[in-house]
Amino acid sequence: MTSFVLPHEVHGDGAHKVFAVHGWFADRSAYAAVLPDLDRTSFTYALVDLRGYGEARDAVGSYTTTEAAVDLVELADRLGWERFSVIGHSMGGAVAQRLLSVAPHRLRRIVGVSPVPASGLELPGEQGVLFADAAHRPENRRAIIDFTTGSRRPSAWLDRMVDRSLERSAPKAFRAWLDSWAGDDFRADVEGSEVPALAVAGELDPALSLALLRDTWMSWYPRARLAALPCAGHYAMDETPLELIRTVEDFLRAETTDEGEPA
């Protein structure tokens, strides 16, 4: 029986292998703006489409962070990657943290770009309705993107982000993913992990804020770091791509500078 293979594209041929996992609103094209300026000599990047997105839009599944973490490990096996790092945006940041319990021995480093905490994200009252109905209401998606970027981005950009989201995601999967990334609390499975972990926060994002990441990511992981991007909201890949690349790749390169950390 052939197992499911996450659709993916590989860039670079460096020794340090890195998965890039998208968030709730996009497939792997979420990383399009950073692709031209990645260090392809030091790193090999594999950009993936999670089930329900992009080339995996019609893939069946449970649409959970646990399933996604297992899918990534199986893809690593197919690529011949014994050890690897993971970058995850938003929902993808929760997937990266799931790997801390699914395959901790295979992780070199994890990076969360505006990552959803392993405890999930409470969406009370009208906020919960806004997010749940975003599966079939484009105006809800636009409102969420606008809010999480500080209401500072051009109207045309907001429209483009919504159009991409609608084109690249299946409504049923989109709705199911919400229950996992927002509702699942797996903090007990990952707290205390010694894998170096960087959280990158956009200072214009009121949802996945610096304060929230200090209270979660920074308090759970002994080797955690927190970086702030002053001119970014929730979508740093689009808003501040060069600053994001520099911040993330400096962290990925830092293995040999941290005491006791293998190269």
Side-chain angles (χ1 to χ4, degrees), residues 82-175:
E82 180 57 34
R83 298 189 69 231
F84 49 87
S85 294
V86 181
I87 302 167
H89 173 243
S90 193
M91 176 179 81
V95 174
Q97 291 168 86
R98 276 287 190 187
L99 282 160
L100 295 174
S101 61
V102 171
H105 59 291
R106 300 186 65 172
L107 290 175
R108 296 175 69 161
R109 299 190 153 221
I110 68 167
V111 176
V113 181
S114 298
V116 173
S119 55
L121 192 64
E122 186 178 0
L123 299 171
E126 292 183 0
Q127 191 177 29
V129 174
L130 176 72
F131 276 70
D133 288 352
H136 60 272
R137 295 177 66 93
E139 62 270 28
N140 288 30
R141 299 193 191 202
R142 194 181 196 278
I144 293 167
I145 297 169
D146 188 32
F147 174 73
T148 57
T149 53
S151 299
R152 298 192 184 191
R153 301 307 173 210
S155 179
W157 180 81
L158 295 173
D159 292 341
R160 180 167 61 85
M161 293 288 281
V162 171
D163 289 344
R164 181 178 68 180
S165 177
L166 293 169
E167 177 186 353
R168 301 286 185 167
S169 64
K172 179 181 177 181
F174 187 87
R175 178 62 185 85

Coordinates of all heavy atoms in Angstrom, one line a residue, residues 82-175:
E82 N 17.8 12.4 7.3 CA 17.8 11.8 8.7 C 17.5 12.8 9.7 O 16.7 12.6 10.6 CB 19.2 11.1 9.0 CG 19.3 10.5 10.3 CD 18.2 9.4 10.6 OE1 17.8 8.7 9.7 OE2 17.8 9.3 11.8
R83 N 18.1 14.0 9.6 CA 17.9 15.1 10.5 C 17.5 16.4 9.7 O 18.0 16.5 8.6 CB 19.1 15.4 11.4 CG 19.4 14.2 12.3 CD 20.4 14.5 13.4 NE 19.9 15.4 14.4 CZ 20.5 16.6 14.7 NH1 21.6 16.9 14.2 NH2 19.9 17.3 15.7
F84 N 16.7 17.2 10.3 CA 16.2 18.4 9.6 C 15.7 19.4 10.5 O 15.4 19.1 11.7 CB 15.1 18.0 8.6 CG 14.0 17.1 9.2 CD1 12.9 17.7 9.9 CD2 14.1 15.7 9.2 CE1 11.9 16.9 10.4 CE2 13.1 14.9 9.8 CZ 12.0 15.6 10.4
S85 N 15.6 20.6 10.0 CA 14.9 21.7 10.8 C 13.6 22.0 10.1 O 13.3 21.5 9.0 CB 15.8 23.0 10.8 OG 17.0 22.8 11.5
V86 N 12.7 22.7 10.9 CA 11.4 23.0 10.3 C 11.0 24.4 10.6 O 11.2 24.9 11.7 CB 10.3 22.1 11.0 CG1 8.9 22.4 10.4 CG2 10.6 20.6 10.8
I87 N 10.6 25.1 9.6 CA 10.0 26.5 9.7 C 8.5 26.3 9.5 O 8.1 25.7 8.5 CB 10.6 27.4 8.6 CG1 12.1 27.5 8.7 CG2 10.0 28.8 8.8 CD1 12.8 28.2 7.5
G88 N 7.7 26.9 10.4 CA 6.3 26.8 10.3 C 5.7 28.2 10.5 O 6.0 28.9 11.5
H89 N 4.8 28.6 9.6 CA 4.1 29.9 9.8 C 2.7 29.6 10.4 O 1.9 28.8 9.9 CB 3.9 30.6 8.4 CG 3.0 31.8 8.5 ND1 1.8 31.9 7.8 CD2 3.2 32.9 9.2 CE1 1.3 33.1 8.1 NE2 2.1 33.7 8.9
S90 N 2.4 30.3 11.5 CA 1.1 30.3 12.1 C 0.7 28.9 12.4 O 1.3 28.2 13.3 CB 0.1 31.0 11.2 OG -1.1 31.3 11.9
M91 N -0.3 28.4 11.7 CA -0.7 27.0 11.9 C 0.4 26.0 11.7 O 0.6 25.0 12.4 CB -1.9 26.6 10.9 CG -2.3 25.2 10.9 SD -3.7 24.9 9.8 CE -2.8 24.8 8.2
G92 N 1.3 26.4 10.7 CA 2.5 25.6 10.5 C 3.4 25.6 11.6 O 4.2 24.6 11.8
G93 N 3.4 26.6 12.5 CA 4.2 26.7 13.7 C 3.7 25.7 14.7 O 4.5 25.1 15.4
A94 N 2.4 25.4 14.7 CA 1.9 24.4 15.6 C 2.4 23.0 15.1 O 2.7 22.1 15.9 CB 0.4 24.4 15.7
V95 N 2.4 22.8 13.8 CA 2.9 21.6 13.2 C 4.3 21.3 13.6 O 4.7 20.2 14.0 CB 2.7 21.6 11.7 CG1 3.4 20.3 11.1 CG2 1.2 21.6 11.3
A96 N 5.1 22.4 13.5 CA 6.6 22.3 13.9 C 6.7 21.8 15.3 O 7.5 21.0 15.7 CB 7.3 23.6 13.7
Q97 N 5.8 22.4 16.2 CA 5.9 22.0 17.6 C 5.4 20.5 17.8 O 5.9 19.8 18.7 CB 5.1 22.9 18.5 CG 5.7 24.3 18.5 CD 4.8 25.3 19.1 OE1 4.7 25.5 20.4 NE2 4.0 26.0 18.3
R98 N 4.5 20.1 17.0 CA 4.1 18.7 17.1 C 5.2 17.7 16.9 O 5.3 16.7 17.4 CB 3.0 18.4 16.1 CG 1.6 18.7 16.5 CD 1.0 17.8 17.5 NE -0.4 18.0 17.7 CZ -1.1 17.5 18.7 NH1 -0.6 16.6 19.5 NH2 -2.4 17.7 18.8
L99 N 6.1 18.1 16.0 CA 7.3 17.3 15.7 C 8.2 17.1 16.9 O 9.0 16.2 17.0 CB 8.1 17.9 14.5 CG 7.5 17.6 13.1 CD1 8.0 18.6 12.1 CD2 7.8 16.2 12.7
L100 N 8.1 18.0 17.9 CA 8.9 17.9 19.1 C 8.5 16.6 19.9 O 9.3 16.1 20.6 CB 8.7 19.1 20.0 CG 9.2 20.4 19.5 CD1 8.8 21.6 20.4 CD2 10.7 20.4 19.2
S101 N 7.3 16.1 19.7 CA 6.8 14.9 20.3 C 6.8 13.7 19.4 O 7.1 12.6 19.8 CB 5.4 15.1 20.9 OG 4.5 15.4 20.0
V102 N 6.6 14.0 18.1 CA 6.5 12.9 17.1 C 7.9 12.4 16.7 O 8.1 11.2 16.6 CB 5.8 13.4 15.8 CG1 5.9 12.4 14.7 CG2 4.3 13.7 16.1
A103 N 8.9 13.3 16.5 CA 10.2 12.8 16.1 C 11.3 13.8 16.6 O 12.1 14.4 15.9 CB 10.3 12.8 14.6
P104 N 11.4 14.0 18.0 CA 12.3 14.9 18.5 C 13.8 14.7 18.2 O 14.6 15.6 18.0 CB 12.1 14.8 20.0 CG 11.5 13.5 20.2 CD 10.7 13.2 19.0
H105 N 14.1 13.4 18.1 CA 15.5 13.0 17.8 C 16.0 13.4 16.4 O 17.2 13.4 16.1 CB 15.7 11.5 18.0 CG 14.8 10.6 17.1 ND1 13.5 10.6 17.3 CD2 15.1 9.8 16.1 CE1 12.9 9.8 16.4 NE2 13.9 9.3 15.6
R106 N 15.0 13.7 15.5 CA 15.4 14.0 14.1 C 15.4 15.5 13.9 O 15.8 16.0 12.8 CB 14.4 13.4 13.2 CG 14.4 11.8 13.3 CD 13.6 11.2 12.3 NE 14.0 11.3 10.9 CZ 13.6 10.7 9.9 NH1 12.6 9.8 10.0 NH2 14.0 10.9 8.7
L107 N 15.0 16.3 14.9 CA 15.0 17.7 14.7 C 16.3 18.4 15.1 O 16.8 18.2 16.1 CB 13.9 18.3 15.5 CG 12.4 18.0 15.1 CD1 11.5 18.6 16.1 CD2 12.2 18.6 13.7
R108 N 16.8 19.3 14.2 CA 17.9 20.1 14.5 C 17.5 21.4 15.2 O 17.9 21.7 16.3 CB 18.7 20.5 13.2 CG 19.3 19.3 12.6 CD 20.0 19.6 11.2 NE 21.2 20.4 11.4 CZ 22.2 20.5 10.5 NH1 22.1 19.9 9.3 NH2 23.2 21.2 10.7
R109 N 16.5 22.1 14.6 CA 15.9 23.3 15.1 C 14.5 23.5 14.6 O 14.2 23.0 13.5 CB 16.8 24.5 14.7 CG 18.2 24.4 15.2 CD 19.0 25.7 15.0 NE 20.0 25.7 16.0 CZ 20.4 26.7 16.8 NH1 19.9 27.9 16.5 NH2 21.3 26.6 17.7
I110 N 13.7 24.3 15.3 CA 12.4 24.6 14.8 C 12.3 26.2 14.8 O 12.9 26.8 15.7 CB 11.2 24.0 15.5 CG1 11.1 24.5 17.0 CG2 11.4 22.5 15.5 CD1 9.8 24.1 17.6
V111 N 11.6 26.7 13.9 CA 11.3 28.1 13.8 C 9.8 28.3 13.6 O 9.2 27.7 12.7 CB 12.0 28.8 12.6 CG1 11.6 30.3 12.5 CG2 13.5 28.6 12.7
G112 N 9.2 29.1 14.5 CA 7.8 29.5 14.3 C 7.7 30.9 13.9 O 8.2 31.8 14.6
V113 N 7.1 31.2 12.7 CA 6.8 32.6 12.3 C 5.4 32.9 12.7 O 4.5 32.3 12.1 CB 7.0 32.7 10.8 CG1 6.8 34.1 10.3 CG2 8.4 32.2 10.4
S114 N 5.2 33.8 13.6 CA 3.9 34.0 14.2 C 3.2 32.7 14.6 O 2.1 32.4 14.1 CB 3.0 34.8 13.3 OG 3.6 36.1 13.0
P115 N 3.9 31.8 15.3 CA 3.4 30.5 15.5 C 2.2 30.4 16.5 O 2.2 31.0 17.5 CB 4.6 29.7 16.1 CG 5.3 30.8 16.9 CD 5.1 32.1 16.1
V116 N 1.2 29.6 16.2 CA 0.2 29.2 17.1 C 0.8 28.4 18.2 O 1.5 27.4 18.0 CB -1.0 28.4 16.4 CG1 -2.0 28.0 17.4 CG2 -1.6 29.3 15.3
P117 N 0.5 28.7 19.5 CA 1.1 28.0 20.6 C 0.6 26.5 20.6 O -0.5 26.2 20.1 CB 0.6 28.7 21.8 CG 0.2 30.1 21.4 CD -0.3 29.9 20.0
A118 N 1.4 25.7 21.3 CA 1.0 24.3 21.4 C -0.2 24.1 22.3 O -0.8 23.0 22.3 CB 2.2 23.5 22.0
S119 N -0.6 25.1 23.0 CA -1.8 25.1 23.8 C -3.1 25.5 23.0 O -4.2 25.5 23.6 CB -1.7 26.1 25.0 OG -1.4 27.4 24.5
G120 N -2.9 25.7 21.7 CA -4.0 26.2 20.9 C -4.2 27.7 21.1 O -3.4 28.4 21.7
L121 N -5.3 28.2 20.5 CA -5.6 29.6 20.6 C -7.1 29.8 20.8 O -7.9 29.5 20.0 CB -5.2 30.3 19.3 CG -5.1 31.8 19.2 CD1 -4.0 32.3 20.2 CD2 -4.9 32.3 17.8
E122 N -7.4 30.4 22.0 CA -8.8 30.6 22.3 C -9.4 31.7 21.4 O -8.9 32.7 21.2 CB -8.9 31.1 23.8 CG -10.3 31.2 24.2 CD -10.4 31.6 25.7 OE1 -9.4 31.8 26.3 OE2 -11.6 31.7 26.2
L123 N -10.6 31.3 20.8 CA -11.3 32.2 19.9 C -12.7 32.4 20.5 O -13.7 31.7 20.0 CB -11.3 31.7 18.5 CG -10.0 31.5 17.8 CD1 -10.1 30.7 16.5 CD2 -9.3 32.8 17.6
P124 N -12.9 33.2 21.5 CA -14.2 33.3 22.1 C -15.3 34.0 21.3 O -15.0 34.9 20.5 CB -13.9 34.1 23.4 CG -12.7 34.9 23.0 CD -12.0 34.1 22.0
G125 N -16.5 33.7 21.6 CA -17.7 34.5 21.1 C -17.7 34.8 19.6 O -17.5 33.9 18.8
E126 N -17.8 36.1 19.3 CA -17.9 36.5 17.9 C -16.6 36.2 17.1 O -16.6 36.0 15.9 CB -18.2 38.0 17.8 CG -19.6 38.3 18.3 CD -19.9 39.8 18.1 OE1 -19.0 40.5 17.6 OE2 -21.0 40.2 18.5
Q127 N -15.5 36.2 17.8 CA -14.2 35.9 17.2 C -14.2 34.4 16.6 O -13.8 34.2 15.5 CB -13.1 36.1 18.1 CG -11.7 36.0 17.5 CD -10.6 36.3 18.5 OE1 -10.7 36.0 19.7 NE2 -9.5 36.9 18.0
G128 N -14.8 33.5 17.4 CA -14.8 32.2 17.0 C -15.7 32.0 15.8 O -15.4 31.2 14.9
V129 N -16.8 32.7 15.8 CA -17.8 32.7 14.6 C -17.1 33.2 13.4 O -17.2 32.7 12.3 CB -19.1 33.5 14.9 CG1 -19.9 33.5 13.7 CG2 -19.8 32.8 16.1
L130 N -16.3 34.3 13.5 CA -15.6 35.0 12.4 C -14.7 34.0 11.8 O -14.6 33.8 10.6 CB -14.8 36.2 12.9 CG -13.9 36.9 11.9 CD1 -14.8 37.6 10.9 CD2 -13.0 37.8 12.6
F131 N -13.9 33.2 12.6 CA -12.9 32.3 12.1 C -13.6 31.1 11.5 O -13.3 30.6 10.4 CB -12.0 31.9 13.2 CG -10.8 32.8 13.4 CD1 -11.0 34.1 13.9 CD2 -9.5 32.4 13.0 CE1 -9.9 35.0 14.1 CE2 -8.5 33.3 13.2 CZ -8.7 34.6 13.7
A132 N -14.6 30.5 12.2 CA -15.3 29.3 11.7 C -16.0 29.6 10.3 O -15.9 28.8 9.4 CB -16.3 28.9 12.7
D133 N -16.6 30.8 10.2 CA -17.4 31.1 9.0 C -16.4 31.5 7.8 O -16.9 31.6 6.7 CB -18.4 32.2 9.2 CG -19.6 31.7 10.0 OD1 -19.7 30.4 10.2 OD2 -20.4 32.5 10.4
A134 N -15.2 31.7 8.1 CA -14.2 32.1 7.1 C -14.0 31.0 6.1 O -13.6 31.2 4.9 CB -12.8 32.4 7.7
A135 N -14.4 29.8 6.4 CA -14.4 28.7 5.5 C -15.2 28.9 4.2 O -14.8 28.5 3.1 CB -14.8 27.4 6.1
H136 N -16.3 29.7 4.4 CA -17.2 29.9 3.2 C -17.5 31.4 3.0 O -18.3 31.7 2.1 CB -18.5 29.1 3.4 CG -19.3 29.5 4.6 ND1 -19.1 28.9 5.8 CD2 -20.3 30.4 4.8 CE1 -19.9 29.4 6.7 NE2 -20.6 30.4 6.1
R137 N -16.9 32.3 3.8 CA -17.1 33.7 3.7 C -15.8 34.5 3.4 O -15.0 34.7 4.3 CB -17.8 34.3 4.9 CG -19.2 33.7 5.2 CD -19.8 34.3 6.4 NE -20.0 35.7 6.3 CZ -21.2 36.2 6.0 NH1 -22.2 35.5 5.6 NH2 -21.3 37.5 5.9
P138 N -15.6 34.8 2.1 CA -14.3 35.5 1.8 C -14.1 36.8 2.6 O -13.0 37.2 3.0 CB -14.5 35.8 0.3 CG -15.4 34.8 -0.2 CD -16.4 34.6 0.9
E139 N -15.2 37.5 2.9 CA -15.1 38.7 3.7 C -14.6 38.5 5.1 O -13.9 39.4 5.7 CB -16.5 39.5 3.7 CG -17.6 38.7 4.5 CD -18.4 37.9 3.5 OE1 -17.9 37.4 2.5 OE2 -19.6 37.6 3.9
N140 N -14.8 37.3 5.6 CA -14.3 37.0 6.9 C -12.8 36.8 6.8 O -12.0 37.2 7.7 CB -14.9 35.7 7.5 CG -16.3 36.0 8.0 OD1 -17.0 36.8 7.4 ND2 -16.8 35.2 9.0
R141 N -12.3 36.1 5.8 CA -10.9 35.9 5.6 C -10.2 37.3 5.4 O -9.1 37.5 6.0 CB -10.6 35.1 4.3 CG -11.2 33.7 4.4 CD -10.7 32.8 3.3 NE -11.5 31.5 3.2 CZ -11.1 30.4 2.7 NH1 -9.9 30.3 2.2 NH2 -11.8 29.3 2.7
R142 N -10.8 38.2 4.7 CA -10.2 39.5 4.5 C -10.1 40.3 5.8 O -9.1 40.9 6.1 CB -11.0 40.3 3.5 CG -10.4 41.6 3.0 CD -11.3 42.3 2.0 NE -10.6 43.3 1.2 CZ -10.3 44.5 1.6 NH1 -10.6 44.9 2.8 NH2 -9.7 45.3 0.8
A143 N -11.2 40.2 6.6 CA -11.2 40.9 7.9 C -10.1 40.3 8.9 O -9.4 41.1 9.6 CB -12.6 40.7 8.6
I144 N -9.9 39.0 8.8 CA -8.8 38.4 9.7 C -7.5 38.8 9.2 O -6.6 39.2 10.1 CB -9.0 36.9 9.6 CG1 -10.3 36.4 10.3 CG2 -7.8 36.2 10.3 CD1 -10.7 35.0 10.1
I145 N -7.2 38.8 7.9 CA -5.9 39.2 7.4 C -5.7 40.7 7.7 O -4.5 41.1 8.1 CB -5.8 38.9 5.9 CG1 -5.9 37.5 5.6 CG2 -4.5 39.5 5.3 CD1 -6.1 37.1 4.1
D146 N -6.7 41.5 7.6 CA -6.5 43.0 7.8 C -6.2 43.2 9.3 O -5.3 44.0 9.7 CB -7.8 43.7 7.4 CG -7.7 45.2 7.5 OD1 -6.6 45.7 7.2 OD2 -8.7 45.9 7.7
F147 N -7.0 42.5 10.2 CA -6.7 42.7 11.6 C -5.4 42.3 12.1 O -4.7 43.0 12.8 CB -7.8 41.9 12.4 CG -7.6 41.9 13.9 CD1 -7.8 43.1 14.6 CD2 -7.2 40.8 14.5 CE1 -7.7 43.1 16.0 CE2 -7.0 40.8 15.9 CZ -7.2 42.0 16.7
T148 N -4.9 41.1 11.6 CA -3.6 40.6 12.0 C -2.4 41.2 11.4 O -1.3 40.9 11.7 CB -3.6 39.0 11.8 OG1 -3.8 38.8 10.4 CG2 -4.6 38.3 12.6
T149 N -2.7 42.2 10.5 CA -1.5 43.0 9.9 C -1.7 44.5 10.4 O -1.1 45.3 9.7 CB -1.5 42.9 8.4 OG1 -2.7 43.2 7.8 CG2 -1.1 41.5 8.0
G150 N -2.4 44.7 11.4 CA -2.5 46.0 12.0 C -3.4 47.0 11.2 O -3.2 48.2 11.4
S151 N -4.2 46.5 10.3 CA -5.0 47.3 9.4 C -4.1 48.4 8.7 O -4.5 49.5 8.5 CB -6.1 48.0 10.2 OG -7.0 47.0 10.7
R152 N -2.9 48.0 8.2 CA -2.0 48.9 7.6 C -1.7 48.5 6.1 O -0.9 49.2 5.5 CB -0.7 49.0 8.4 CG -0.8 49.5 9.8 CD 0.5 49.8 10.4 NE 0.4 50.2 11.8 CZ 1.4 50.7 12.4 NH1 2.6 50.9 11.8 NH2 1.3 51.1 13.7
R153 N -2.2 47.5 5.6 CA -1.8 47.0 4.3 C -2.8 47.5 3.2 O -4.0 47.7 3.5 CB -1.7 45.5 4.3 CG -0.7 44.9 5.3 CD 0.6 45.6 5.2 NE 1.6 45.2 6.2 CZ 2.6 46.0 6.7 NH1 2.7 47.2 6.1 NH2 3.4 45.5 7.6
P154 N -2.3 47.6 2.0 CA -3.2 48.1 0.9 C -4.4 47.2 0.6 O -4.3 45.9 0.8 CB -2.2 48.1 -0.3 CG -0.9 48.1 0.3 CD -0.9 47.4 1.5
S155 N -5.4 47.8 0.2 CA -6.6 47.0 -0.1 C -6.4 45.9 -1.2 O -6.9 44.8 -1.1 CB -7.7 48.0 -0.6 OG -8.9 47.3 -0.9
A156 N -5.6 46.3 -2.2 CA -5.3 45.3 -3.3 C -4.6 44.1 -2.8 O -4.8 43.0 -3.2 CB -4.6 46.0 -4.4
W157 N -3.7 44.3 -1.8 CA -2.9 43.2 -1.2 C -3.8 42.3 -0.4 O -3.8 41.1 -0.5 CB -1.8 43.8 -0.3 CG -1.0 42.7 0.3 CD1 0.1 42.0 -0.2 CD2 -1.1 42.2 1.7 NE1 0.6 41.1 0.7 CE2 -0.1 41.2 1.8 CE3 -2.0 42.5 2.7 CZ2 0.0 40.5 3.1 CZ3 -1.8 41.8 3.9 CH2 -0.8 40.8 4.1
L158 N -4.7 42.9 0.3 CA -5.7 42.1 1.1 C -6.5 41.3 0.2 O -6.8 40.1 0.4 CB -6.6 43.0 1.9 CG -6.0 43.8 3.0 CD1 -7.0 44.8 3.7 CD2 -5.4 42.9 4.1
D159 N -7.0 41.9 -0.9 CA -7.8 41.1 -1.9 C -7.0 40.0 -2.5 O -7.5 38.9 -2.7 CB -8.3 42.1 -3.0 CG -9.3 43.1 -2.6 OD1 -9.9 42.8 -1.5 OD2 -9.5 44.1 -3.2
R160 N -5.7 40.2 -2.8 CA -4.9 39.2 -3.4 C -4.7 38.0 -2.4 O -4.7 36.9 -2.8 CB -3.5 39.8 -3.8 CG -2.6 38.8 -4.5 CD -1.4 39.5 -5.2 NE -0.6 40.3 -4.2 CZ 0.4 39.8 -3.5 NH1 0.6 38.5 -3.5 NH2 1.1 40.6 -2.7
M161 N -4.5 38.4 -1.2 CA -4.3 37.3 -0.2 C -5.5 36.5 0.0 O -5.5 35.2 0.1 CB -3.9 37.9 1.2 CG -2.6 38.6 1.2 SD -1.2 37.5 1.2 CE -1.2 37.0 2.9
V162 N -6.7 37.1 -0.1 CA -8.0 36.3 0.0 C -8.1 35.5 -1.2 O -8.5 34.3 -1.1 CB -9.1 37.3 0.2 CG1 -10.5 36.5 0.1 CG2 -9.1 38.0 1.5
D163 N -7.9 36.0 -2.4 CA -8.0 35.3 -3.6 C -7.1 34.0 -3.6 O -7.6 32.9 -4.0 CB -7.7 36.1 -4.8 CG -8.8 37.2 -5.1 OD1 -9.9 37.1 -4.5 OD2 -8.5 38.1 -5.8
R164 N -5.9 34.2 -3.2 CA -5.0 33.1 -3.1 C -5.5 32.0 -2.1 O -5.4 30.8 -2.4 CB -3.6 33.5 -2.7 CG -2.5 32.4 -2.6 CD -1.2 32.9 -2.2 NE -1.1 33.4 -0.9 CZ 0.0 33.8 -0.3 NH1 1.1 33.9 -1.0 NH2 0.0 34.3 0.9
S165 N -6.0 32.5 -1.0 CA -6.5 31.6 0.0 C -7.6 30.7 -0.5 O -7.7 29.5 -0.3 CB -6.9 32.4 1.3 OG -7.5 31.5 2.2
L166 N -8.6 31.4 -1.2 CA -9.7 30.7 -1.7 C -9.3 29.7 -2.8 O -9.8 28.6 -2.9 CB -10.7 31.7 -2.3 CG -11.4 32.6 -1.3 CD1 -12.1 33.7 -2.0 CD2 -12.4 31.8 -0.4
E167 N -8.4 30.1 -3.6 CA -7.9 29.2 -4.7 C -7.1 28.0 -4.2 O -7.2 26.9 -4.8 CB -7.1 30.0 -5.7 CG -6.5 29.2 -6.9 CD -5.5 30.0 -7.7 OE1 -5.4 31.3 -7.5 OE2 -4.9 29.4 -8.6
R168 N -6.4 28.2 -3.2 CA -5.4 27.2 -2.7 C -5.8 26.3 -1.6 O -5.1 25.4 -1.2 CB -4.1 27.9 -2.3 CG -3.5 28.7 -3.4 CD -2.8 27.9 -4.5 NE -2.1 28.7 -5.5 CZ -1.2 28.2 -6.3 NH1 -1.0 26.9 -6.3 NH2 -0.6 29.0 -7.2
S169 N -7.1 26.5 -1.1 CA -7.5 25.7 0.0 C -8.9 25.1 -0.3 O -9.7 25.7 -1.0 CB -7.6 26.5 1.3 OG -8.5 27.5 1.2
A170 N -9.2 23.9 0.2 CA -10.5 23.3 0.1 C -11.3 23.7 1.4 O -10.8 23.6 2.5 CB -10.4 21.8 0.1
P171 N -12.5 24.2 1.2 CA -13.3 24.7 2.3 C -13.5 23.8 3.4 O -13.4 24.1 4.6 CB -14.7 25.1 1.6 CG -14.3 25.4 0.2 CD -13.2 24.5 -0.1
K172 N -13.8 22.5 3.1 CA -14.0 21.5 4.2 C -12.7 21.3 5.0 O -12.7 21.3 6.2 CB -14.4 20.2 3.6 CG -14.6 19.0 4.6 CD -15.0 17.7 3.9 CE -15.1 16.6 4.9 NZ -15.5 15.3 4.3
A173 N -11.6 21.2 4.3 CA -10.3 21.0 5.0 C -9.9 22.3 5.8 O -9.5 22.2 7.0 CB -9.2 20.7 4.0
F174 N -10.2 23.5 5.2 CA -9.9 24.7 5.9 C -10.6 24.8 7.2 O -10.1 25.2 8.2 CB -10.4 25.9 4.9 CG -10.0 27.3 5.4 CD1 -8.8 27.8 5.0 CD2 -10.9 28.0 6.1 CE1 -8.5 29.1 5.4 CE2 -10.6 29.3 6.5 CZ -9.4 29.9 6.2
R175 N -11.9 24.4 7.2 CA -12.7 24.5 8.4 C -12.2 23.4 9.4 O -12.1 23.7 10.6 CB -14.2 24.2 8.1 CG -15.1 24.2 9.3 CD -15.1 25.5 10.1 NE -15.8 25.4 11.3 CZ -15.3 24.9 12.5 NH1 -14.1 24.5 12.5 NH2 -16.1 24.9 13.5

